Each structure stands twice: as structure tokens, then as C-alpha cells.
Amino acid sequence: MSILLKNIFSLLDATFIGNHPENTIENVSIDSRSLHHNPQTLFFCLIGQNNNGHDYIEELIEKGVRNFVVSQQITTQNPNVNFLVVKNTLKALQQFAAFYRKKFNFPVIGITGSNGKTIVKEWLNFLLSPEYTIIRSPKSYNSQVGVPLSVIGINEHHNLGIFEAGISTVNEMENLEAIIQPTIGVLTNIGSAHDEGFGHLGEKIKEKLKLFPNVEVLIYNKNKSIDAFLDPKINTFSWSSSDKNAAVLIHHKTIKNETNLNITYQNTCFKFKIPFSDDASIENVIHCLMVLFYLKYDFETIQHRLSLLYPIEMRLKVKKGINNTTLIDDSYSSDFQSLKIALDFLESQKQHHKKTLILSDIFQSGLENDDLYTRLSLMIISNKINRIIGIGETISRYHTKFLNGTFFNSKAEFLEQFDQLNFDNETILIKGARHFHFEEIVSLLEERTHETVLEINLNALTHNLNYYRAKVKPNTKIMVMVKAFSYGSGGLEIAKLLEYQRADYLGVAFADEGITLKGNGINLPIMVLNPENSSFESIIQHQLEPEIYSFKGLHSFLKIAKQKRLIDFPIHLKIDTGMHRLGFEEPQVSELVTILKNNKTVKVKSILSHLATSDEEANREFALEQIEKFDRISSQLQTELEISPLRHILNTSGISNFPEAQYDMVRLGIGLYGFSNQSNEQIFLEPVGTLKSIISQIRTIQAGESIGYGRRFIAKNEMRIATIPIGYADGIRRSWGDGIGYVLIKKQKATILGSICMDMMMVDVTTISCVEGNEVIILGEDPSILEMAKKLDTIPYEILTGISQRVKRIFYRE
């Protein structure tokens, strides 16, 4: 991209404020946290529910950005900075992308549907890449923002585009059609995703079809529901397993893990074999096959390439590595666009000062190699990567463009030298094209633990954070609780995400939790809720902020603070308004004022209390009495101490039930992790954790034989029993056994038989077709922690925080 700024004014109907209309624009950004900014960046200040790009203009100017698209009044007077003032910055971004798209004239495949969009896009990229230089949406960039950013990645070397479009309600698809401007349309499966945004199925289908009014052909699975809304002017190329009016008839038969496709097309019969057996994959493969038919690929080429298709890994995974390393596993793709995303994710999750990139040859960039690897080198420098390890003949040829690099012509050469590369105390991003099989490298670097893991979905965490952010007033801060190992989900990794997502404060229970976070580079202020007097020295040393709830604690802290000659060290005063757990009571306020009045050693950063019944409608009056009492006491402290601290009393349930009491800050706890005590709110939260294991062994037992300790289960008939390597030492209560609980294997329930052991449990797989090594879902969407808590007469907190730290946490982003 190389566009003069002055050529964009009329396109966006923008008012220009600045002195440099001749500036050249070479890239576009919407994320102030990205490390790819430079003077040639055009930054669109988008306004969302939870963030406003205008708030980061000064920060971006310091990073070198000189060109902004804005919709709010600007106070910056820097003569070197240009502003394009528009009515709506999102609309401006979309207009710019549509303008840029029109500069290129080559086939573009536009994909939409409820399910399968990203899989079909990635498979088409694999199937067509030998003949085309392809630009495609990175990952699942298919939204009102993601689509324009994807299209802006086109350059003059590309000759085919593959873009997906996702919508969540009506009146969105027209915007995306104008940006993608597809010539070939693919409509994938229409399912229940985002049903809440549409009045009925017909409305959803009608909206999806708005991507295709100008295509030369639409490929879809022919059925009456779609045909009812299809414009007869659109040329279609349909398939079906039952409708003989479809252009292609397809029947399939699955044998073990493969499927045979029997196809009738243009009075000719074909047979293809594909390496999948599930219905979703079969349908996705057929859509790809139809594109190959339309582009006139021959039978032999189609059969060969379909046989090479592989499951698409949709996640960036964070894992613990050997020698205190942290791994970011993106080992299934290597292209310029997705590398940018992976590097930004690396920045958000870095847990060490040292950052290493293991990278294969880059494919499908649309750039000449010299230009590509020059840009790649600059990107790596801007992301402050300390070491690059390049694997592949092409990247090795351009090794002189990189600083601090080690290069190998093949993965085999790398593996031979692995022990000499000294991986230690660093964050490592592994990014490789599929055929390099970098999963072997990940396996070498990964810390060995037992095969039970808790997968943490960082997208879900971000969604839940934003859900509660939307309930909070713009000027109200959010403290997020990461105590108890982030409610069992993994403290440091989640703290990194929260810092990246611009949380205002973190809360921990004890000093050692905060010390660990500070020691690993967390810069957010951290409040310690239950500090012990013996920890005050460490709290001061690590710049943590103690909650003070008693005179004993206050005097102890002041004594140490005075010895260290501290000035205005931040403390937080806890008021007991009815919880009767910790805090100063109302009659003690006068004495508290006397001690703190004119005391320069400490500074009261906040005054807080805790609601005892924020989630109980029956005790709403008690909660209101607590709020009234808090308001009275905190106001008295503010007046008599002549201070203006933050005030906060609301926890997760309080945020929703008492919005009038948000004060200056709220404390988000269990809601971040996907749990609410209110059913009408629970449906809007996303589950964060999935506890998984595998089948260690399968055996057959006869009628009359017993299972486990105490012979608590006796078989009445012949049964197949699977042993799973997880038990009560991992956090699964013994009371979940004896036929009460279950696990999921191959999407089928397997009842837990007999007593749960310390490290194992046994389940009934008599009616389930499974083998040793198959995945087992212990907790997740089904069975859910909420279901387990209800059956065991406890609360989700207890189950979530009870998952042992010997269970490996794997963090991923979709």
C-alpha cells in the first residue's frame, strides 16, 4: 500500500486538519497496543462499547503515528500531526477498505454462513495455493472491523482473494459486500449461531444472501429454505444429496475415519475419498470440492489434494515450556497477515523479558522474497524480538536481513542442534507452515506433565470482561480479582491479558500472589485484600497496595512505613458495613481519622466495603442498608481527612443488581470466569475453562465383577470400562462418583462408576465407540461446573478454585 493522504480526504468526506497532506500512507491500524506503528500509519480512532481510540492519540503520537481519522474534537496542537475529521470512524474505515479493494481486479471468493466459514477458507487456501498467490482473512477476521482490515492486506502480487463475512444481526452484510466485492460466493451451513440477532431463520438467510448480489456464481447446498429467498438473477452452482435439481448430486459413506464421496456431475460419476468422518467436515469439504469443480480442476488433482486435507487448528495456545519458558503455539500456518496477529498476541502474553520467534518460510504473502523478508525483518525489530530462529531454505537465504538470528535449511537440522540453542527463561512464539510439522518442535519444548489439562479460552475471558464493562459507567474503574490463582484458572497469564485489555486494578488475597505477578512484569496496581502483618515489608518492597482493615494492621504498617521514611504510600481502607468479616466499624471512624489526619507517610487510595447479599433478591433491603452505611462512613472519611479516594463496594453480582452504587470503581470476580448467580445473566457469559483428560485403558468386565475401592459398583451385565487419569487430588470430588456424575467421550455421556480415586476414575463406555487415548471432557460446557455445583450442593467458586495446580493450564485464543 502506498497512498497519499490528500487522496483520501474526498473519499471519506473528511475535514483535514494539519500541515502535511503529502504524507504517504503505507499501513492502517485500529489498535493502540500494536507494535507495528510508524509515521506512515493511518490510525482510525474507533469508538466501541468499552474503548475509545481517541483516548490513545497522545500515546500513539509518542510511538511515531502522524495520521489519524477521528470523529471527536481534538485538542492536540502538534504541528507534525494530521487529522481527518469524519462523522463515523468505523464507516470511514469501511469506506477506505472498499476504495482500496477496487484497485485490484482478480477473482475474490466471499464466504458466509453460520458454521464452517473459517475452515472452508483455510482449506480453499491450501487447495488453490499451488496455482494462485492468495490473500485471505487471517484467522477468523470476519466482522465489521475484521473484514476491512483483511482486505487492506491486498497487494499488487495477489491474484486471488478468499474472505469470510460474519454477521450477528440485520443490516450488516451490505457493508461487508461493498468491501469484499466477491466474484464467487460460497454459502456454508446455516445453523443456530447468532440466532438472537434475527427474528427468524428466514431473516437470517435473507441477510446472509446479501453478500452475493453481484457474484458470477453462488455455491451452496440446495434446499427449499434458501431457495425461497434466493434472487433468481443470481447464477447458482448447487449440490445436494437428495434434490435432483441440484447441479451436483453427492452421496457419502463413512468407514472408520474416512468417507467415500459418490458424485454425479455433468452426467459423469466420480468417487473421492476424504480423511474425515464427521458431518461438519464432510459438508465443508464438499463446498471446497464445488469450488474446484467450478474452477475446472481435473479429477486427479482434486482427489490428490482432498486426500491431503487436515484438521485446522483455530487457536493460538499458550503452554508452559521447559526451563521456565512460555510457549505460544501457532504451528499450523505461516503467512504475513497471521504473523502480525501472532506477534501482537506474543506482546500481550509475554512473561519474560526475552522474546524468541521460531519461524518457517513465509508463504502466500503476495510479495517478492526480497521485499517480503525485508518487511519481515522490520516487523521483528519493531516487535522487539530478541532472537529469531529461521527454518527453511528460503528464509535461510535471506539470513543477512535479520539481527540475532540462527537459521536452518530444514527442521531436521534444527532438531540436530536443539540442545545447543539453550532455551531458558523466555517467551517463544512457534510459527510454521503446515508442511514443516512444527508440532514436533512444540512437543520438544513443552514441559512434561500428566495428560489432564485445563484449557482456558482467552476470547471468552475478554468477552466476559467486556460484558461487565458495558454495564459500568464510562468513568468508573474496574478492579479484577485474580486471587486464588485467578479462581483456579491461572494467575499470571490472565493478569497479562487483563493488563493488555486495560483493566485499572488487580486484586489478590495475599501478598505472595501479588509478588509473583509483579516479579513477572505486571505493571498494573495490585491491591492485597488480606495482608498479614508479617508481609508488610514485602508489600512495600514490591510496590503492592495493602488493604487495611484493623487498628493492629494500621499501626503495624505505619511503623514500618515511618522506618522506611515513606511518603504517600498507597493503602486501602476496608469498612465493615454488615458482612462482619473484616473492616473498621462505624464507631471506630473518629479514631481512624485521628490517626490518619495529616499523616504524610501513607495515602488513602481507596475506601471499600463488601456486600453480603448482592445476589439475593430476598435480602435486597439488607444490601441497600449496607450501601447507605458505606456512603455515610466513606463520606465522613472523605470530609474529615480532606481526601478524594476511590470508593468501591460492588462485586460481580452488585455490578448488575445495584448500578446506582458503582461509585468510582467496581470489583469484578467470578463473572470474569463465566459464572453468574442469575440465570438471566448467565446466558450472556461464556464458559472460560474446559477440563480435559484421555482414556488410559479400556477393559471388559463380566456380570458380578466390581469396580474400584470398597466394591461400590457391581456389574449386572458384561460392560466396557474406561479408566481416566484424573481424581480427587486433581480437584474432582469423590461425591461426584458412584453414578452421580459423568464425563463426555465422543460427545456421549459416560457415567462415573464406583468411587473416584486419588488419581483416577472409571467410567462406563459400553455403548460408546472409543479407544485408548481418546479425549475425555471432565468439565466444560457439558458437564458444566454449574451442573456439578448444583448436584453436589455447593457453589461454582469451590469447584473452580479446587482444580489442582498439578493440572496443566493451556491458554488459547481463537
Side-chain angles (χ1 to χ4, degrees):
M1 176 189 296
S2 183
I3 301 173
L4 290 178
L5 187 63
K6 65 180 182 181
N7 293 337
I8 303 174
F9 301 167
S10 59
L11 165 70
L12 304 184
D13 193 22
T15 301
F16 178 68
I17 300 174
N19 300 311
H20 304 281
E22 300 290 334
N23 278 6
T24 300
I25 301 302
E26 294 186 354
N27 60 81
V28 165
S29 178
I30 63 164
D31 189 346
S32 64
R33 300 163 298 191
S34 174
L35 297 180
H36 305 143
H37 297 126
N38 58 49
Q40 288 75 47
T41 297
L42 179 61
F43 189 90
F44 285 79
C45 297
L46 301 188
I47 302 173
Q49 264 192 322
N50 309 297
N51 270 306
N52 185 336
H54 298 80
D55 295 340
Y56 307 108
I57 289 175
E58 294 295 339
E59 174 187 323
L60 287 160
I61 291 172
E62 290 183 10
K63 292 181 178 179
V65 179
R66 295 293 177 263
N67 309 287
F68 296 86
V69 178
V70 300
S71 59
Q72 296 180 350
Q73 186 174 355
I74 301 302
T75 57
T76 301
Q77 299 296 318
N78 191 319
N80 296 316
V81 177
N82 300 308
F83 295 99
L84 278 65
V85 184
V86 299
K87 291 181 180 179
N88 183 308
T89 49
L90 174 59
K91 183 63 68 176
L93 174 66
Q94 294 172 341
Q95 289 171 334
F96 179 82
F99 154 78
Y100 187 71
R101 163 70 179 89
K102 288 178 181 177
K103 290 178 169 289
F104 302 92
N105 183 23
F106 52 70
V108 170
I109 301 172
I111 306 170
T112 193
S114 300
N115 311 107
K117 298 184 292 294
T118 302
I119 300 293
V120 170
K121 178 202 67 188
E122 293 298 322
W123 279 347
L124 283 175
N125 175 71
F126 171 79
L127 295 166
L128 300 175
S129 58
E131 289 74 41
Y132 295 94
T133 302
I134 300 172
I135 175 71
R136 72 189 192 280
S137 313
K139 301 293 179 184
S140 53
Y141 269 38
N142 58 27
S143 67
Q144 298 290 304
V145 174
V147 168
L149 292 178
S150 301
V151 168
I152 289 168
I154 300 174
N155 66 47
E156 61 275 12
H157 299 288
H158 292 123
N159 57 16
L160 177 68
I162 309 176
F163 299 107
E164 56 177 295
I167 56 172
S168 56
T169 189
V170 296
N171 302 321
E172 290 185 344
M173 190 61 86
E174 291 98 334
N175 300 331
L176 303 186
E177 191 280 332
I179 299 167
I180 297 173
Q181 299 163 38
T183 58
I184 298 172
V186 177
L187 180 64
T188 64
N189 178 274
I190 299 293
S192 60
H194 301 296
D195 271 357
E196 65 276 7
F198 303 92
H200 48 80
L201 179 62
E203 187 174 62
K204 178 191 281 190
I205 293 171
K206 190 175 180 181
E207 189 71 19
K208 298 279 186 183
L209 290 172
K210 290 180 181 178
L211 181 61
F212 309 121
N214 300 306
V215 295
E216 62 188 43
V217 67
L218 169 61
I219 293 168
Y220 75 109
N221 182 359
K222 186 174 179 63
N223 67 71
K224 293 179 180 179
S225 296
I226 294 173
D227 290 345
F229 297 96
L230 194 58
D231 186 340
K233 296 178 183 177
I234 296 177
N235 180 40
T236 63
F237 184 43
S238 61
W239 66 273
S240 177
S241 59
S242 57
D243 191 334
K244 294 182 179 180
N245 292 316
V248 180
L249 286 175
I250 302 178
H251 298 91
H252 70 270
K253 184 177 182 180
T254 297
I255 303 173
K256 293 186 177 180
N257 294 320
E258 294 184 332
T259 299
N260 294 317
L261 301 179
N262 297 307
I263 297 171
T264 304
Y265 173 45
Q266 293 181 339
N267 298 318
T268 304
C269 294
F270 302 89
K271 289 187 178 182
F272 294 108
K273 182 180 288 186
I274 60 175
F276 302 99
S277 57
D278 62 290
D279 290 341
S281 294
I282 293 168
E283 184 169 354
N284 291 334
V285 171
I286 293 173
H287 283 118
C288 295
L289 170 66
M290 293 292 289
V291 173
L292 295 179
F293 273 154
Y294 180 75
L295 295 175
K296 303 189 184 308
Y297 277 71
D298 62 77
F299 173 86
E300 289 76 14
T301 300
I302 294 174
Q303 176 60 83
H304 174 66
R305 293 188 187 172
L306 289 183
S307 70
L308 298 176
L309 287 177
Y310 51 88
I312 297 296
E313 179 56 68
M314 303 292 290
R315 302 168 171 181
L316 285 161
K317 292 183 178 179
V318 182
K319 304 175 179 180
K320 284 188 176 181
I322 59 174
N323 304 327
N324 195 36
T325 59
T326 301
L327 312 181
I328 298 178
D329 180 4
D330 193 16
S331 57
Y332 294 89
S333 66
S334 183
D335 60 86
F336 200 71
Q337 290 288 88
S338 67
L339 179 59
K340 289 181 181 179
I341 296 170
L343 287 170
D344 281 343
F345 184 66
L346 168 62
E347 184 62 22
S348 74
Q349 276 293 313
K350 66 176 183 181
Q351 296 176 22
H352 310 274
H353 293 298
K354 184 179 178 182
K355 296 186 290 186
T356 294
L357 170 64
I358 301 177
L359 182 67
S360 76
D361 291 342
I362 295 285
F363 297 107
Q364 293 298 322
S365 69
L367 299 170
E368 297 295 337
N369 279 338
D370 189 74
D371 188 17
L372 167 64
Y373 287 101
T374 297
R375 291 193 186 191
L376 180 61
S377 174
L378 294 173
M379 185 193 299
I380 288 169
I381 291 170
S382 69
N383 278 271
K384 301 176 182 176
I385 302 297
N386 302 93
R387 172 168 67 152
I388 177 172
I389 296 173
I391 300 175
E393 294 180 358
T394 305
I395 194 171
S396 296
R397 281 202 302 272
Y398 292 92
H399 69 274
T400 57
K401 293 183 179 293
F402 301 92
L403 302 173
N404 301 318
T406 305
F407 295 85
F408 302 93
N409 284 317
S410 68
K411 184 183 65 181
E413 286 185 16
F414 167 85
L415 295 176
E416 286 178 11
Q417 299 296 317
F418 180 82
D419 291 336
Q420 282 72 52
L421 292 171
N422 299 321
F423 295 103
D424 182 56
N425 286 292
E426 55 196 299
T427 304
I428 306 167
L429 170 60
I430 302 104
K431 181 81 174 152
R434 172 69 187 183
H435 72 264
F436 278 88
H437 296 288
F438 271 15
E439 59 268 25
E440 293 180 42
I441 296 175
V442 174
S443 180
L444 270 178
L445 286 167
E446 195 171 358
E447 182 180 72
R448 293 289 174 264
T449 55
H450 75 107
E451 292 165 303
T452 296
V453 300
L454 178 62
E455 290 189 347
I456 305 297
N457 185 338
L458 298 179
N459 297 77
L461 273 167
T462 302
H463 165 85
N464 296 338
L465 174 63
N466 288 335
Y467 173 79
Y468 285 102
R469 265 184 173 155
K471 290 175 170 284
V472 173
K473 297 171 186 175
N475 295 325
T476 301
K477 298 180 183 297
I478 295 182
M479 174 186 288
V480 184
M481 311 313 293
V482 292
K483 60 182 180 176
F485 198 49
S486 285
Y487 290 63
S489 298
L492 177 58
E493 294 82 0
I494 290 175
K496 286 283 184 184
L497 175 73
L498 294 170
E499 187 164 63
Y500 190 72
Q501 293 294 335
R502 303 181 189 276
D504 300 291
Y505 251 92
L506 298 179
V508 298
F510 298 104
D512 57 348
E513 296 174 309
I515 291 169
T516 298
L517 296 179
K518 286 292 186 182
N520 283 279
I522 296 296
N523 295 312
L524 283 175
I526 300 174
M527 184 178 79
V528 182
L529 282 82
N530 310 318
E532 297 158 318
N533 291 0
S534 59
S535 68
F536 286 153
E537 291 269 5
S538 297
I539 284 174
I540 292 169
Q541 179 185 346
H542 294 278
Q543 293 294 298
L544 303 174
E545 302 179 12
E547 174 190 288
I548 302 296
Y549 52 81
S550 69
F551 286 119
K552 179 182 177 183
L554 179 59
H555 288 306
S556 178
F557 189 82
L558 288 176
K559 180 180 178 180
I560 296 172
K562 286 175 183 177
Q563 289 173 352
K564 294 182 176 295
R565 299 180 181 179
L566 300 180
I567 297 175
D568 287 346
F569 194 93
I571 64 172
H572 302 260
L573 296 181
K574 179 70 169 286
I575 306 300
D576 181 7
T577 57
M579 182 81 168
H580 297 327
R581 187 171 62 179
L582 295 174
F584 294 99
E585 296 181 346
E586 191 165 14
Q588 298 174 313
V589 171
S590 296
E591 185 180 350
L592 185 59
V593 169
T594 301
I595 296 170
L596 292 176
K597 186 79 170 178
N598 300 319
N599 189 311
K600 302 298 182 184
T601 306
V602 295
K603 179 180 181 179
V604 179
K605 194 71 175 288
S606 83
I607 303 171
L608 67 146
S609 189
H610 195 77
L611 295 179
T613 61
S614 62
D615 58 343
E616 297 180 10
E617 182 61 31
N619 285 304
R620 182 175 178 82
E621 286 303 316
F622 183 79
L624 291 172
E625 288 173 12
Q626 279 193 271
I627 292 169
E628 188 277 328
K629 192 173 186 178
F630 174 71
D631 192 79
R632 184 173 66 250
I633 296 173
S634 60
S635 296
Q636 180 184 349
L637 285 168
Q638 284 181 305
T639 301
E640 296 188 16
L641 289 175
E642 298 179 356
I643 57 174
S644 298
L646 300 170
R647 294 192 290 172
H648 48 110
I649 190 172
L650 298 185
N651 55 7
T652 296
S653 297
I655 293 171
S656 298
N657 294 333
F658 300 95
E660 70 280 5
Q662 289 181 7
Y663 291 101
D664 306 294
M665 186 158 68
V666 297
R667 301 189 301 273
L668 177 59
I670 194 71
L672 179 73
Y673 307 97
F675 300 101
S676 171
N677 292 315
Q678 299 161 264
S679 58
N680 62 338
E681 184 170 82
Q682 183 64 48
I683 60 174
F684 295 109
L685 299 177
E686 295 184 359
V688 167
T690 302
L691 184 59
K692 295 181 176 181
S693 192
I694 64 165
I695 297 175
S696 293
Q697 189 177 43
I698 295 176
R699 69 177 67 248
T700 299
I701 66 169
Q702 303 302 318
E705 292 187 310
S706 62
I707 295 173
Y709 287 117
R711 303 196 73 203
R712 289 186 174 86
F713 179 84
I714 307 292
K716 294 180 179 179
N717 304 293
E718 181 180 282
M719 301 178 70
R720 290 178 77 237
I721 306 302
T723 300
I724 317 299
I726 183 172
Y728 59 78
D730 301 293
I732 306 301
R733 287 185 171 195
R734 293 182 75 246
S735 52
W736 187 236
D738 287 328
I740 294 173
Y742 64 93
V743 299
L744 226 59
I745 299 173
K746 293 292 189 76
K747 299 183 180 179
Q748 298 176 65
K749 291 183 179 181
T751 302
I752 300 170
L753 304 176
S755 296
I756 291 176
C757 309
M758 180 181 287
D759 310 300
M760 288 172 281
M761 66 172 67
M762 287 69 77
V763 302
D764 180 7
V765 294
T766 304
T767 61
I768 301 174
S769 177
C770 58
V771 296
E772 292 172 1
N774 278 167
E775 181 180 85
V776 180
I777 304 298
I778 310 297
L779 284 172
E781 289 190 19
D782 183 22
S784 71
I785 287 178
L786 288 170
E787 179 183 356
M788 179 185 279
K790 185 176 182 180
K791 283 189 176 182
L792 300 183
D793 193 26
T794 185
I795 56 176
Y797 300 71
E798 187 173 357
I799 293 169
L800 193 59
T801 58
I803 298 174
S804 167
Q805 290 197 35
R806 81 175 186 176
V807 174
K808 180 171 65 174
R809 271 67 173 172
I810 293 179
F811 301 83
Y812 68 90
R813 187 176 77 176
E814 298 286 358

